[in-house]
């Protein structure tokens, strides 16, 4: 039944999202007020008949979390408020004109908020409660910032969200800890459990965390600053969220957990201190405010402080006072907010000094405001008067600091009286101030809701028996276990009555001497003026600044910095395990020719790194490449050596000509420090690499895989003798296919980049390839020879050194050299297809060659032979050949000046 | 041979890092070339050079008496690495060339030619 109620509310919110014409919308929302009104009556009946409802659905059973709802006296009183005030707010909102009314979500958001808030007060399981808690926070963010085009609204919404969510996070930790300590997440069971939470060592931590969350939500000191800021919200939002519901969530939680966490000095001290400080802070800020809604906000803050104070005080007087105050505060505050909205609607301003003598122009509004203010001031015969007397009784009977607590309560209530006077006397009576624009009073439909609420606070005071039996008793019962104190309007001449009188007079004094008090507070030195909000703004500012700073340092946009960081991390990571003593493992003996290769490598590296001009560096790289190729040759890696030589030769020819044909940048000043750091990193990287390689090679080596491949190829039925080639094309053909795909993709990427890049004018350098006659002559002769040789290498690759990779490199190199000598148009004439197509064709051929065995029930890419030199592997190699040719031509093409031959 | 390969790869890595930290993009490209080859040397070293005979079996074998066959696996790796490496190197230098064609030629520190003067 409870979850059904929640579901109805949420779903109706969805209905309200649909686009309706504004005229229909008004009546639809008015009619929607029946839903919360109905729920309110239902809750009231349950409460009156003392029925308690429980409901649970399994949710996260592995984590022991249950979606559990319960309705008892305490939940009931809150649920009554939520739905009752909710009905009034819906009625009000229907007739309230928000300038951007075309935003459809407003009424839906209000309904969803109602549902979420109901979920908070009905939840029995702490995780369920947290979920609904955060949901109210999110929806309130959307509602407070509803006029999102105003910067102030956005800022206020963000501030409210950040502060309450910060508290919510702390609260979650505290609740989970509590669940652990108590052994269950169900609050109703936590109350019953024998495990005394109070004696557990984590108890203070739990209390601090939970109290932080509740304080943040209910705007208790030191989190009280977000509430006045949230007054940028449209008035229905202020009337609902910030007076009757959301801010009461923290108070609800504290009350709900009092049986579990209460009964200790820490609890009482925290709550009493927080509540008292809030009362004083609100009073001080009230004196300075000139905005109508912010004045009401400060009185709300004070009211919440008073409620918190009452929770902290043990005893039935305090609990009863709490219940009474809860009800009446919601009633009159919502009513006053709505009235303030009506005043603003009529006069288009909220600034207090601009208003005066409006009773003639706004009679109905005046009546509403007056009744509500009488309640706020706590004058008899309103329910608030009863509540105030009970409050004084509770503070006077407090076990410690009775005098201080009472004084604080008096000051707070006096400030409320002052606020009440400001809202009525200042605005409606007194000298008439001139107002710009014409004043037209709001319709009675708009004023109906606040009127009803205000009258209710009056009526419940007179007929307080209903309240006492129906509402107060069950709620106090739920917390204390016994019925509360009796409510009476007239308790005889008692200290409380005296205090009430003192409060009224003090309040009037505040009102009369407000200008003097304002001057006094302005004259205070800055150090004494409380600036809690400054901490929040300062924290946000500091966060943003540090983010900017760290981004500027880390993301400097300089490649050298990025690379330095990368290499440093790599070097450190490799250097970590190396203190082990490194020995070289066994390997072949060195021969004299090996030293030749090594010398070339060293020479090439040194020259390449230290050269001044670009071309010199490339030549150094060329020498280095030859050295590496020779080294491969001398250790018997013939295929690899062939590939290395072919690749190096052609690549460097292309690069040198490309580099030389463009003007080199002027040689920059060498910066000593920068060079030294570079050298340092380089040496570190080199040392670490050498040690790492020595360490690797000193370990045991498992030769099983290599032996397996050699044995496979040596087997009698196998066609082919070149083991390396067999690995690439037969045993690991799938990997090679993947590499072909990668090469093709890179080819296409280069082609795409090249074809789209705008070609700016080149600064011409000294060399122009057409002038190199030696190229012209030699390449004309060499081209056909090299092409034939490449094909020969391709076909013999399976039995002798060679293969598709080497053949492709040779062919592509020959074509590139020819292009350098004779111009690229001649190459294009010879190869009619654009090179990237050739690469794609090669990839397709390789895949087809792999698919052929499938037709004879053999696996993909299995090597099948028709004759000694013709088989699926040869087709595969041809595919490799084409991919390499196409790829190499494409990546070389950006270096050919001017022309784009294949377009 | 193992020690020589270790020393050579360390030296090449040092040269490569030195080049890659340079301000001129062209030099960064040269560094990339060196790094690719250095990695190939490391691969060969890791495969342990236990023999110098080319890995050909059967009729094509050129093994002399007393010689061991080389390790075919790292040779296969390095072969593909070389091919892919030249693709990468050519791409880097294509980017260098494109940067050279910009009106304000940039270097690795993000400052342009004009500012240097």
């Amino acid at each position: 039944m409870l979850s059904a109620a929640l579901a109805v509310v949420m779903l109706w919110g969805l209905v309200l999202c649909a686009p309706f014409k504004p005229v229909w919308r008004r009546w639809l929302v008015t009619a929607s007020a029946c839903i919360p009104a109905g729920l309110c009556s239902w809750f009231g009946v349950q409460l009156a008949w003392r029925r308690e409802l429980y409901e649970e659905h399994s949710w996260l059973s592995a984590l022991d979390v249950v979606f559990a709802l319960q309705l008892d006296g305490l939940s009931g009183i809150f649920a009554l408020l939520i739905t009752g005030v909710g009905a009034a707010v819906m009625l009000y909102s229907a007739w309230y004109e928000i300038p951007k009314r075309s935003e459809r979500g407003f009424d839906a958001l209000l309904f969803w908020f109602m549902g979420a808030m109901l979920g908070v007060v009905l939840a029995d399981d702490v995780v369920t409660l947290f979920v609904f808690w955060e949901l109210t926070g999110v929806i309130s963010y959307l509602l407070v910032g509803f006029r999102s085009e105003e910067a102030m609204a956005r800022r206020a919404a963000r501030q409210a969200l950040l502060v309450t969510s910060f508290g919510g996070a702390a609260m979650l930790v505290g609740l989970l800890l509590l669940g652990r300590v108590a052994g269950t997440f169900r609050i109703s069971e936590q109350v019953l459990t024998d495990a005394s939470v109070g004696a557990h060592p984590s108890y203070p931590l739990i209390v601090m965390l939970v109290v932080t969350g509740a304080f943040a939500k209910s705007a208790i000191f030191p989190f009280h600053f977000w509430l006045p800021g949230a007054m940028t919200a449209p008035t229905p939002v202020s009337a609902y969220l910030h007076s009757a519901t959301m801010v009461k969530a923290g108070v609800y939680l504290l009350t709900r957990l009092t049986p579990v966490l209460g009964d200790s000095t820490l609890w009482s001290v925290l709550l009493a201190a927080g509540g008292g400080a809030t009362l004083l802070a609100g009073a001080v800020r009230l004196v300075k405010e000139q905005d109508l809604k912010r004045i009401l906000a400060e009185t709300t803050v004070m009211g919440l402080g008073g409620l918190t104070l009452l929770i902290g005080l043990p005893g039935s007087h305090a609990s009863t006072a709490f219940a009474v105050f809860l009800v009446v505060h919601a009633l009159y505050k919502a009513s006053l907010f709505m009235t303030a909205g009506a005043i603003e609607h009529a006069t288009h301003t909220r600034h207090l000094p601009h208003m005066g003598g409006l009773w003639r122009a706004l009679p109905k509004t005046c009546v509403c405001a007056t009744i509500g203010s009488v309640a706020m001031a706590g004058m008899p015969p309103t329910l608030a008067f009863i509540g105030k007397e009970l409050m004084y009784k509770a503070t006077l009977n407090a076990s410690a600091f009775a005098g201080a607590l009472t004084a604080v309560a008096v000051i707070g209530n006096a400030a409320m009286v002052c606020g009440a006077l400001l809202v009525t006397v200042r605005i409606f009576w007194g000298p008439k101030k001139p107002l710009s624009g014409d004043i037209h009073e709001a319709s009675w439909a708009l004023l109906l809701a606040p009127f009803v609420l205000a009258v209710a606070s009056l009526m419940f005071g007179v007929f307080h028996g209903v309240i006492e039996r129906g509402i107060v008793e069950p709620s106090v019962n739920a917390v204390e276990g016994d019925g509360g104190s009796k409510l009476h309007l007239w308790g005889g001449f008692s200290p409380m009555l005296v205090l009430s009188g003192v409060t009224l007079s003090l309040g009037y004094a505040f009102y009369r001497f407000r200008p003097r008090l304002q001057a006094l507070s302005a004259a205070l030195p800055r150090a004494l003026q409380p600036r809690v909000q400054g901490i929040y703004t300062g924290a946000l500012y500091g966060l943003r600044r540090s983010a900017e700073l760290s981004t500027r340092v880390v993301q400097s946009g300089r490649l050298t910095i990025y690379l330095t960081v990368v290499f440093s991390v790599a070097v450190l990571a490799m250097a970590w395990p190396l203190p082990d003593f490194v020995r070289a493992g066994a390997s072949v003996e060195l021969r004299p020719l090996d030293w030749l290769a090594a010398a070339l490598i060293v020479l090439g590296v040194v020259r390449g790194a230290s050269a001044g001009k670009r071309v010199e560096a490339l030549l150094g790289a060329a020498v280095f490449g030859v050295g590496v190729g020779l080294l491969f040759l001398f250790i018997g890696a013939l295929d690899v050596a062939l590939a290395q030589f072919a690749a190096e030769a052609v690549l460097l020819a292309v690069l040198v000509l490309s580099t030389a044909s463009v003007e080199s940048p002027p040689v920059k000043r060498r910066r000593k420090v920068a060079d030294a750091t570079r050298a340092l990193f380089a040496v570190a990287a080199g040392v670490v690499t050498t040690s790492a390689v020595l360490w690797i090679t000193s370990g045991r080596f498992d030769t099983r895989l290599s032996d397996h491949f050699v044995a496979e190829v040596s087997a009698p039925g196998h066609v082919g003798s070149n083991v390396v080639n067999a690995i690439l094309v037969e045993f690991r053909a799938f990997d090679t296919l993947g590499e072909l795909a990668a090469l093709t993709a890179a080819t296409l990427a280069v082609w795409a980049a090249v074809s789209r890049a705008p070609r700016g004018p080149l600064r011409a350098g000294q060399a122009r390839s057409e002038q190199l006659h030696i190229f012209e002559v030699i390449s004309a002769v060499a081209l056909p020879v090299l092409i034939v040789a490449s094909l020969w290498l391709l076909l013999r690759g399976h039995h002798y050194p060679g293969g598709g990779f080497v053949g492709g490199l040779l062919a592509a190199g020959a074509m590139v050299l020819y292009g350098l000598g004779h111009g690229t148009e001649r190459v294009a004439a010879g190869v009619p297809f654009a090179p990237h197509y050739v690469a794609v064709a090669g990839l397709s051929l390789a895949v087809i060659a792999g698919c052929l065995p499938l037709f004879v029930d053999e696996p993909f890419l299995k090597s099948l032979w028709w004759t000694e030199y013709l088989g699926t592997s040869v087709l595969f190699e041809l595919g490799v050949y084409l991919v390499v040719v196409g790829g190499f031509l494409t990546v070389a093409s950006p270096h050919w000046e001017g022309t784009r031959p294949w377009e | 041979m193992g020690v020589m390969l270790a020393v050579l790869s360390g030296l090449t890595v040092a040269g490569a890092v030195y080049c890659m930290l340079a301000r001129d993009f062209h030099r960064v490209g040269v560094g990339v070339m060196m790094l690719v080859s250095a990695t190939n040397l490391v691969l060969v070293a890791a495969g342990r050079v236990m023999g110098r005979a080319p890995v050909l079996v059967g009729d094509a074998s050129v093994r002399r008496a007393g010689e061991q066959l080389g390790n075919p696996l790292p040779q296969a790796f390095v072969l593909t690495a070389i091919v892919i490496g030249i693709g990468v190197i050519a791409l880097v230098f294509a980017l260098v060339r494109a940067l050279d064609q910009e009106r304000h030629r940039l270097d690795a520190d993000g400052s342009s030619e004009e500012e240097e003067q």
Side-chain angles (χ1 to χ4, degrees):
Chain A
M1 194 53 216
L2 290 171
S3 45
L6 279 178
V8 162
V9 171
M10 295 305 221
L11 287 174
W12 187 253
L14 271 180
V15 167
L16 285 177
C17 278
F20 289 108
K21 285 222 273 281
V23 146
W24 291 3
R25 152 162 305 279
R26 184 166 271 189
W27 290 105
L28 179 67
V29 175
T30 311
S32 308
C34 295
I35 296 182
L39 282 174
C40 182
S41 341
W42 183 72
F43 282 125
V45 165
Q46 304 302 315
L47 211 54
W49 290 105
R50 305 283 193 274
R51 276 203 222 124
E52 299 193 355
L53 298 174
Y54 292 93
E55 201 178 310
E56 63 178 66
H57 307 275
S58 82
W59 189 17
L60 303 171
S61 43
L63 292 172
D64 220 16
V65 170
V66 177
F67 185 82
L69 303 172
Q70 70 153 10
L71 179 69
D72 66 356
L74 183 63
S75 319
I77 191 174
F78 277 92
L80 271 181
L81 282 176
I82 294 170
T83 46
V85 176
V89 166
M90 293 311 298
L91 177 61
Y92 182 78
S93 145
W95 298 87
Y96 185 77
E97 314 250 331
I98 304 182
K100 276 191 77 176
R101 212 52 169 106
S102 54
E103 296 277 356
R104 294 198 300 267
F106 189 73
D107 308 300
L109 281 173
L110 280 177
F111 247 83
W112 285 330
F113 182 84
M114 193 189 312
M117 196 65 209
L118 274 178
V120 170
V121 303
L122 291 176
D124 188 32
D125 175 84
V126 295
V127 177
T128 313
L129 188 144
F130 178 75
V131 169
F132 280 115
W133 182 281
E134 289 299 316
L135 194 59
T136 62
V138 169
I139 299 181
S140 100
Y141 171 75
L142 292 171
L143 280 172
V144 170
F146 194 72
R147 295 199 194 99
S148 50
E149 67 276 5
E150 292 173 25
M152 285 224 21
R154 291 197 300 268
R155 215 172 336 146
R158 183 171 53 220
Q159 180 175 297
L161 185 68
L162 283 178
V163 173
T164 53
S165 300
F166 165 78
M171 184 187 84
L172 178 64
V173 175
L175 287 177
L176 290 178
L177 270 178
L178 176 63
R180 255 271 230 109
V181 165
T184 171
F185 283 132
R186 304 280 301 267
I187 302 181
S188 49
E189 287 167 24
Q190 283 170 355
V191 176
L192 298 171
T193 188
D194 244 358
S196 45
V197 180
H200 199 271
S202 327
Y203 173 75
L205 182 65
I206 296 178
V207 166
M208 298 287 306
L209 289 171
V210 170
V211 163
T212 306
F215 276 16
K217 196 73 151 185
S218 289
I220 307 290
F221 189 90
F223 301 111
H224 60 287
F225 55 89
W226 68 263
L227 192 50
M231 289 301 118
T232 57
T235 308
V237 174
S238 306
Y240 197 30
L241 270 66
H242 302 137
S243 58
T245 45
M246 184 167 107
V247 294
K248 297 275 167 58
V251 166
Y252 165 77
L253 184 69
L254 290 173
T255 320
R256 171 63 75 196
L257 288 179
T258 304
V260 181
L261 292 176
D263 260 353
S264 80
T265 325
L266 178 66
W267 180 261
S268 309
V269 164
L270 269 179
L271 286 160
T278 315
L279 272 172
L280 288 177
V284 166
R285 288 164 74 121
L286 180 74
V287 166
K288 294 191 281 195
E289 280 296 345
Q290 302 282 45
D291 179 295
L292 179 58
K293 271 178 84 173
R294 287 180 81 111
I295 290 178
L296 290 175
E298 297 296 349
T299 58
T300 311
V301 167
M302 284 196 286
L304 291 168
L307 285 170
T308 314
L309 181 68
L310 287 171
I311 305 177
L313 293 174
S316 73
H317 294 305
S319 314
T320 318
F322 171 80
V324 171
F325 239 142
L326 188 72
V327 170
V328 76
H329 180 260
L331 290 176
Y332 74 66
K333 196 45 69 66
S335 163
L336 278 174
F337 266 117
M338 290 197 239
T339 315
I343 296 175
E344 183 185 3
H345 174 77
T347 61
H348 306 291
T349 177
R350 293 197 325 227
H351 199 58
L352 214 51
H354 290 169
M355 299 191 241
L358 290 173
W359 65 273
R360 215 182 299 244
L362 308 172
K364 299 190 284 258
T365 322
C366 175
V367 169
C368 270
T370 313
I371 303 180
S373 309
V374 164
M376 178 148 86
M379 292 177 65
T382 62
L383 191 58
F385 175 71
I386 304 178
K388 224 166 14 130
E389 299 251 306
L390 275 173
M391 184 176 178
Y392 290 142
K393 202 166 180 183
T395 55
L396 284 174
N397 290 336
S399 45
F401 297 106
L405 287 174
T406 316
V408 166
V410 167
I411 294 179
N413 284 325
M416 293 223 219
V417 170
C418 171
L421 286 169
L422 282 171
V423 168
T424 41
V425 174
R426 168 64 63 85
I427 295 182
F428 291 105
W429 285 295
K432 193 163 155 57
K433 303 256 176 73
L435 274 171
S436 58
D438 59 49
I439 310 173
H440 61 278
E441 193 169 19
S443 60
W444 68 267
L446 190 66
L447 288 171
L448 182 63
F451 184 72
V452 166
L453 287 178
V455 166
S457 69
L458 189 64
M459 287 294 121
F460 284 146
V462 176
F463 301 109
H464 53 263
V466 172
I467 290 285
E468 187 183 336
R469 275 192 303 277
I471 300 182
V472 174
E473 250 187 61
S475 71
V476 176
N477 216 353
V479 175
E480 295 277 329
D482 55 6
S485 335
K486 294 279 167 237
L487 309 176
H488 24 244
L489 265 182
W490 175 254
F493 282 106
S494 59
M496 284 78 70
L497 194 60
V498 173
L499 284 173
S500 300
V502 168
T503 312
L504 283 174
S505 1
L506 193 60
Y508 179 70
F510 281 161
Y511 172 69
R512 267 307 297 276
F513 297 113
R514 216 166 84 100
R516 296 233 195 111
L517 286 173
Q518 281 172 352
L520 197 66
S521 82
L524 276 181
R526 269 198 82 77
L528 282 184
Q529 293 184 7
R531 304 286 308 162
V532 181
Q533 175 143 24
I535 300 179
Y536 166 80
T537 352
L540 274 191
Y541 179 71
L543 193 67
R544 203 164 35 227
R545 286 287 297 169
S546 60
E548 281 172 12
L549 204 64
S550 66
T551 309
R552 208 175 319 140
V553 167
V554 171
Q555 295 290 335
S556 58
R558 294 167 55 176
L559 183 63
T560 35
I561 301 286
Y562 296 156
L563 284 176
T564 310
V565 170
V566 168
F567 286 133
S568 314
V569 171
V571 163
L572 282 173
M574 279 209 291
W576 194 249
L578 285 185
D580 297 337
F581 174 66
V582 288
R583 297 165 281 120
S587 71
V588 296
E589 295 293 325
L590 287 175
R591 291 189 198 156
L593 281 179
D594 299 337
W595 291 103
L596 171 67
L600 284 176
I601 291 179
V602 172
L603 198 65
V605 167
V606 170
R607 199 58 198 138
S610 65
K613 301 223 184 77
R614 286 180 165 190
V615 178
E616 277 183 43
L618 279 178
L619 289 178
V623 168
F624 162 74
V626 168
V628 169
L630 282 178
L631 193 61
F632 287 146
L633 184 66
F634 296 150
I635 63 173
L638 298 179
D639 292 358
V640 182
L642 275 174
Q644 173 79 8
F645 283 128
E648 282 287 329
V650 182
L651 186 65
L652 278 159
V654 169
L655 288 180
V656 166
L657 279 168
S658 161
T659 308
S661 66
V662 177
E663 177 194 324
S664 246
V667 176
K668 303 216 166 83
R669 299 183 309 255
R670 305 282 293 243
R671 296 167 300 173
K672 294 281 172 42
V673 173
D675 278 354
T677 27
R678 275 168 66 197
L680 190 66
F681 278 112
V683 166
V687 165
V688 166
T689 308
T690 304
S691 322
V693 174
L694 283 176
W695 181 71
I696 291 173
T697 54
S698 63
R700 282 172 18 116
F701 187 63
D702 191 343
T703 57
R704 277 184 293 178
L705 200 54
S706 320
D707 293 342
H708 163 76
F709 286 133
V710 172
E712 282 280 323
V713 177
S714 310
H718 187 265
V719 176
S721 321
N722 187 346
V723 181
V724 177
N725 189 283
I727 292 177
L728 281 174
V729 167
E730 278 184 52
F731 305 128
R732 309 297 310 189
F734 197 66
D735 297 337
T736 310
L737 190 60
E739 284 161 56
L740 290 183
L743 266 178
T744 313
T747 306
L748 291 173
V750 170
W751 167 70
V754 163
S755 63
R756 295 177 63 173
R759 291 293 185 98
L762 277 176
R763 286 167 272 215
Q766 298 95 337
R768 290 174 58 76
S769 53
E770 286 90 335
Q771 292 172 348
L772 292 173
H773 296 295
I774 191 165
F775 253 131
E776 235 182 289
V777 171
I778 290 190
S779 60
V781 173
L783 180 69
V785 173
L786 288 176
I787 297 282
V788 171
S790 73
L791 287 170
W792 175 70
L793 276 177
L794 166 69
L795 290 173
R796 86 197 281 259
H798 226 69
H799 304 269
Y800 298 101
F805 282 110
V806 182
L809 281 174
L810 198 59
M815 285 193 256
V816 166
L817 287 176
Y818 186 77
L820 286 174
H822 292 259
T824 51
E825 298 81 5
R826 300 282 290 271
V827 178
V831 180
F833 314 108
H836 47 280
Y837 286 137
V838 174
V840 173
L843 182 62
S844 322
L845 186 58
V847 172
I848 291 173
C851 290
L852 286 179
L854 294 175
F855 292 113
V856 290
D857 273 339
E858 293 276 9
F860 180 59
L861 283 175
K862 178 134 174 82
S863 175
L864 303 173
W865 296 91
W866 300 302
T867 82
E868 178 111 344
Y869 279 89
L870 201 59
T872 56
S873 297
V874 181
L875 280 179
F876 189 82
E877 292 242 48
L878 186 59
V880 173
Y881 180 93
L882 290 174
V883 171
V884 172
V885 167
F888 198 76
L889 281 177
T890 312
V891 297
S893 60
H895 300 278
W896 294 348
E897 15 176 322
T899 62
R900 297 193 228 190
W902 277 285
E903 286 175 22
Chain B
M1 175 56 76
V3 177
M4 174 185 265
L5 280 173
V7 171
L8 286 176
S9 33
L11 186 72
T12 315
V13 167
V17 171
Y18 187 78
C19 285
M20 284 175 88
L21 293 179
R23 284 181 77 181
D24 187 13
F25 277 121
H26 190 272
R27 196 57 58 92
V28 174
V30 172
V32 172
M33 286 177 78
M34 291 192 203
L35 194 60
V36 169
S37 296
T39 318
N40 293 342
L41 287 177
V42 171
L43 276 173
V44 169
R48 313 288 199 280
V49 184
M50 298 301 247
R52 290 180 186 264
V55 195
L56 302 166
V57 297
D59 294 337
S61 168
V62 293
R63 223 179 76 170
R64 288 192 277 245
E67 266 194 347
Q68 286 229 6
L69 286 180
N71 192 346
L73 263 184
Q75 294 181 22
F77 293 151
V78 173
L79 192 50
T80 25
I82 288 176
V83 175
I84 295 182
I86 46 174
V88 171
I89 293 166
L91 179 61
V92 169
F93 279 101
L95 291 175
V96 171
R97 193 175 164 88
L99 279 171
D100 279 344
Q101 291 176 285
E102 296 279 322
R103 266 177 51 85
H104 301 285
R105 187 183 284 173
L106 292 174
D107 68 4
D109 267 350
S111 54
S112 63
E113 210 170 56
E114 332 286 294
E115 293 172 22
E116 265 300 297
Q117 280 140 17

